[in-house]
Amino acid sequence: MNPPFKKFESHGAAGPRIREIPLRMVFPNLLTVLAICAGLSGIRFAFEGRFETAVVMVLIAAFLDGLDGRVARLLKATSKFGAQMDSIADIVNFGVAPALVLYAFLLDQAGSPGWIAALLFTIACGMRLARFNVLEEVHDRPSWQGEYFVGVPAPAGAAVVMLPLYLSFIGFEPSRYGAFLATGFTVVVAFLLVSRLPVYSGKNLKVPGDRMLLVILAIVLYFLLLVSYPWYTLTASVIGYLTFLPFSVLAYSRRAKLEGEAELPPDVDARGE
């Protein structure tokens, strides 16, 4: 298989030129760029006061951001360039965009504490993504621990932190008191991102063949509810996800006892050691 960047040519002051990039390598990176555009457009719509559109754009950005890696693996088009682009997109779509949309909508009413909460969330998201990249390179962990995230994953954190917007869209009026509640909630989500909380990923979840039709029907039902009642469905989804977290910790602890391992995932420092 040819490498994604087959040859570099020097052209004097213009620097090296990358040649012969297969077209299949471009498509995943295009999805990544579109995801960044969607996330930044969400920020723009928030500044214009079009908050429902802003939230939709952030959720589209999260969807595209989660899709590009899978498409790259499907097309066998993974590359170091794509990995770097994906990391940048993750910071924008899961950290910057949700924080700024939430700040423009509600957190600004809390003054400086609201801005501090938005900053904490963005920084926590960046640290969470950096830790994820480091753990991906750690190969001496027990295989079963790979079924769990260390801390709430960034995409889930982005969806959860916008809960105050979902609630306002279904009828709860934003207020200064609500702004301080949202500020505290944002800080809590930020700490969940960088925590060592074991969160089941579902990567190795297998569906019995005799239940496949039921699963497909359930997914279709969820999609229809999301289209017909988006804010109610997203609110219920966030509440369900937060309720799921303690059960994930209990499942990890039981598995750790069976495997004779430590009850928490191994920690890493900034150097990945």
Side-chain angles (χ1 to χ4, degrees):
M1 182 176 64
N2 294 328
F5 304 118
K6 185 176 180 180
K7 186 177 181 180
F8 290 85
E9 284 189 355
S10 178
H11 288 269
R17 185 179 69 180
I18 302 174
R19 295 183 56 202
E20 299 184 20
I21 302 177
L23 184 61
R24 61 184 172 82
M25 306 294 298
V26 176
F27 187 64
N29 294 325
L30 178 61
L31 289 177
T32 303
V33 173
L34 291 176
I36 295 175
C37 291
L40 294 177
S41 296
I43 297 173
R44 174 201 167 183
F45 290 131
F47 289 160
E48 294 177 350
R50 300 158 63 183
F51 292 106
E52 291 194 14
T53 305
V55 172
V56 170
M57 294 303 295
V58 171
L59 293 176
I60 290 175
F63 173 76
L64 292 175
D65 203 298
L67 188 65
D68 57 1
R70 290 172 174 80
V71 171
R73 289 188 290 272
L74 182 64
L75 298 178
K76 297 181 180 179
T78 56
S79 67
K80 291 183 178 181
F81 177 83
Q84 296 300 324
M85 281 291 297
D86 190 57
S87 295
I88 295 173
D90 289 345
I91 292 292
V92 173
N93 298 329
F94 303 142
V96 177
L100 289 182
V101 170
L102 183 58
Y103 179 79
F105 177 74
L106 186 60
L107 296 185
D108 63 329
Q109 297 184 35
S112 295
W115 179 243
I116 291 172
L119 288 177
L120 280 177
F121 176 80
T122 303
I123 294 169
C125 183
M127 296 172 65
R128 170 66 180 82
L129 292 166
R131 183 175 64 184
F132 175 81
N133 291 337
V134 169
L135 286 176
E136 285 290 290
E137 298 176 0
V138 177
H139 302 293
D140 57 351
R141 291 194 301 160
S143 59
W144 68 270
Q145 288 187 359
E147 300 176 11
Y148 291 83
F149 294 118
V150 182
V152 171
V160 168
V161 81
M162 292 192 294
L163 176 63
L165 287 105
Y166 312 151
L167 291 174
S168 69
F169 297 156
I170 63 177
F172 289 88
E173 291 294 332
S175 63
R176 184 171 175 81
Y177 177 72
F180 282 102
L181 287 178
T183 296
F185 178 73
T186 303
V187 173
V188 170
V189 176
F191 278 96
L192 287 176
L193 287 171
V194 298
S195 70
R196 296 180 62 203
L197 194 73
V199 180
Y200 183 66
S201 66
K203 293 179 180 179
N204 298 326
L205 186 64
K206 296 181 180 179
V207 180
D210 58 345
R211 297 182 182 178
M212 180 61 69
L213 294 179
L214 291 176
V215 172
I216 294 175
L217 188 62
I219 294 173
V220 171
L221 175 61
Y222 180 82
F223 177 78
L224 294 175
L225 289 173
L226 191 61
V227 172
S228 303
Y229 309 99
W231 312 124
Y232 286 98
T233 304
L234 287 170
T235 299
S237 298
V238 170
I239 294 174
Y241 184 80
L242 294 176
T243 305
F244 155 78
L245 293 179
F247 293 99
S248 176
V249 175
L250 289 175
Y252 184 95
S253 299
R254 291 173 182 172
R255 182 68 181 272
K257 291 179 180 179
L258 290 175
E259 300 288 343
E261 302 288 346
E263 291 194 0
L264 286 174
D267 205 356
V268 293
D269 61 22
R271 298 167 298 173
E273 299 175 348

